[in-house]
Amino acid sequence: MEKKSLIPNAKPKSAAWGSISPDAGTLSADAGSLAADAGSMAADAGSLAADAGSMAADAGSLAADAGSLAADAGSLAADAGSLAADAGSMAADAGSLAADAGSMAADAGSLAADAGSMAADAGSMAADAGSMAADAGSVAADVD
């Protein structure tokens, strides 16, 4: 049975890919071909989605590695700070010891000065004793 157009002398419509066939078999084949193409495109989209998921997992792994490295760097910085504090404490201790040594040296100098003064006093006493002995000798000579 032939279809008749409602518009007299109408020509079959055409599209960019060619004219539309009124044949149901051809239309069915075209629909099947389009459905196959759509299935292929869906498979490609699924493959791309899987690739994107894999890339996201890789990015997550890299982010975890970066976080671990940052934690290690923070730990090393804390250790360095602790070592710097220890070094400062040791430097302060060394300064205190140097001050103590200076004080001891000053005390030793003071003791040496005191010893020198005592030696001078002893020398003066010896001179006085010598003078007294001379006086005693003179008195003894006068008595005779």
Side-chain angles (χ1 to χ4, degrees), residues 9-123:
N9 299 322
K11 294 181 182 177
K13 294 183 180 177
S14 63
W17 59 86
S19 61
I20 297 174
S21 171
D23 180 53
T26 303
L27 288 175
S28 179
D30 289 346
S33 177
L34 287 174
D37 289 346
S40 177
M41 292 173 88
D44 290 346
S47 177
L48 288 172
D51 289 347
S54 177
M55 291 174 91
D58 290 346
S61 178
L62 288 173
D65 290 347
S68 178
L69 288 173
D72 290 347
S75 178
L76 289 173
D79 290 346
S82 179
L83 290 173
D86 289 347
S89 179
M90 288 177 171
D93 290 346
S96 179
L97 290 173
D100 289 346
S103 179
M104 288 178 171
D107 290 346
S110 178
L111 290 174
D114 289 346
S117 178
M118 288 177 169
D121 288 346

